[in-house]
């Protein structure tokens, strides 16, 4: 059983930065960050397979960076140049190690409780 706990959410102005953390990530799982706004489906933001293979949603490429620290058993999402449309509940997830990282929620089994990100214009 994998238990995931997110932290680092908050309120920032557009153009600002936040770093989300997810304690409890474990290799050899694929790890991912998803986000969801009320009334909408959960959207894959970034995922990492192993320690170096990453995949990003087009909407965050060049602004967000996913990484994992094996020694701390922690997953990170560095979010720069934040936009109001990035506002959402952000979730950390773990899933079976796949050939390539996935942004599909169906490929992830374990989920954290979420951390809220609010970006004001």
């Amino acid at each position: 059983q994998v238990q995931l706990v997110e932290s680092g959410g908050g309120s920032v102005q557009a153009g600002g930065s936040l770093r989300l953390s997810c304690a409890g990530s474990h290799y050899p799982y694929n790890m991912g960050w998803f986000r969801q706004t009320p009334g909408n489906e959960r959207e894959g933001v970034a995922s990492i397979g192993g320690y170096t293979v990453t995949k990003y949603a087009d909407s965050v490429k060049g602004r967000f960076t996913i990484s994992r620290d094996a020694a701390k058993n922690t997953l990170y999402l560095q979010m720069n140049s934040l936009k109001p449309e990035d506002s959402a509940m952000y979730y950390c997830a773990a899933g079976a190690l796949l050939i390539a990282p996935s942004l599909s929620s169906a490929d992830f089994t374990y989920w954290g409780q979420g951390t809220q990100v609010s970006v004001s214009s």
Side-chain angles (χ1 to χ4, degrees), residues 3 14 29 39 45 47 50 55-56 92 101 106-108:
Q3 293 186 331
Y29 290 101
V45 175
S47 65
K55 185 174 184 176
Y56 296 93
C92 168
D107 290 326
F108 292 83

Side-chain angles (χ1 to χ4, degrees), residues 2-120:
V2 176
Q3 293 186 331
L4 304 171
V5 180
E6 303 97 333
S7 61
S11 298
V12 296
Q13 290 190 327
S17 298
L18 283 173
R19 189 177 78 157
L20 305 183
S21 299
C22 174
S25 62
H26 297 272
Y27 188 85
Y29 290 101
N30 267 6
M31 300 298 299
W33 287 98
F34 291 76
R35 64 188 181 188
Q36 189 172 24
T37 53
N40 293 308
E41 292 187 358
R42 198 164 289 189
E43 171 194 19
V45 175
S47 65
I48 185 167
Y51 291 100
T52 58
V53 183
T54 58
K55 185 174 184 176
Y56 296 93
D58 288 343
S59 59
V60 306
K61 280 180 181 177
R63 301 188 298 121
F64 290 11
T65 302
I66 187 171
S67 61
R68 65 199 303 176
D69 186 326
K72 297 182 178 180
N73 236 12
T74 301
L75 178 75
Y76 301 100
L77 184 68
Q78 178 67 44
M79 304 186 296
N80 298 328
S81 302
L82 282 161
K83 304 176 181 180
E85 51 264 43
D86 294 319
S87 298
M89 184 72 78
Y90 282 71
Y91 298 91
C92 168
L97 192 62
L98 303 173
I99 296 174
S102 170
L103 294 179
S104 172
S105 59
D107 290 326
F108 292 83
T109 304
Y110 305 101
W111 296 84
Q113 82 290 348
T115 185
Q116 181 69 43
V117 171
S118 298
V119 184
S120 58

